[in-house]
Amino acid sequence: MQTINHTAKRTDTQLLVLTHLSQLLTYITGFGGLVVPLILWLTQKDTVDGMDEHGKSIINFQLSMWLWAILSIPAIFLFGLGILSLIFIGVVSFVLPIVNAIKASNGESPSYFMTIQFIN
């Protein structure tokens, strides 16, 4: 007797969009922009088509932004360059999730620049 694997992935662009937009929780809670996408990615990566790619890019982006922000703090003492970089990080962390949510709704792959590949 054969067993057939019926684990076909479903297409759910709304969940992908929601995952990208959940990064904006950072501005409300301070850390929700990393926790919520991480939970969505870990629970849905095997059932939603494209979630693994989008989830990895979101987690890599969030970890990279945290790292760049931590590295910018000592740079504040270097002629205020850290303040400029923190402002830049804040703008990029707000704009890129929205841009990539639009890309996800159109079925495109995400693209976050300044991202270190922690998870492949």
Side-chain angles (χ1 to χ4, degrees):
M1 202 156 101
Q2 285 182 328
T3 57
I4 300 172
N5 190 0
H6 292 289
T7 58
K9 292 185 177 183
R10 71 180 197 276
T11 303
D12 192 353
T13 56
Q14 291 178 347
L15 184 61
L16 295 176
V17 169
L18 181 67
T19 306
H20 282 284
L21 293 178
S22 68
Q23 296 176 77
L24 300 176
L25 287 172
T26 297
Y27 295 100
I28 297 169
T29 63
F31 59 88
L34 176 63
V35 174
V36 173
L38 179 65
I39 291 170
L40 288 172
W41 171 58
L42 290 175
T43 58
Q44 299 297 317
K45 68 181 178 180
D46 296 328
T47 59
V48 175
D49 188 34
M51 179 59 86
D52 195 41
E53 176 189 8
H54 287 266
K56 286 178 183 178
S57 65
I58 290 169
I59 300 306
N60 285 330
F61 177 70
Q62 285 295 312
L63 291 174
S64 297
M65 290 301 106
W66 275 92
L67 180 66
W68 292 124
I70 290 169
L71 292 175
S72 296
I73 292 170
I76 291 173
F77 298 112
L78 298 172
F79 308 111
L81 294 176
I83 294 173
L84 293 175
S85 63
L86 285 173
I87 292 170
F88 179 73
I89 290 167
V91 170
V92 166
S93 294
F94 186 78
V95 171
L96 284 183
I98 296 170
V99 169
N100 282 297
I102 294 169
K103 284 185 174 186
S105 70
N106 294 331
E108 300 174 26
S109 294
S111 62
Y112 289 100
F113 69 92
M114 292 179 43
T115 301
I116 302 168
Q117 295 297 318
F118 295 105
I119 302 170
N120 283 327

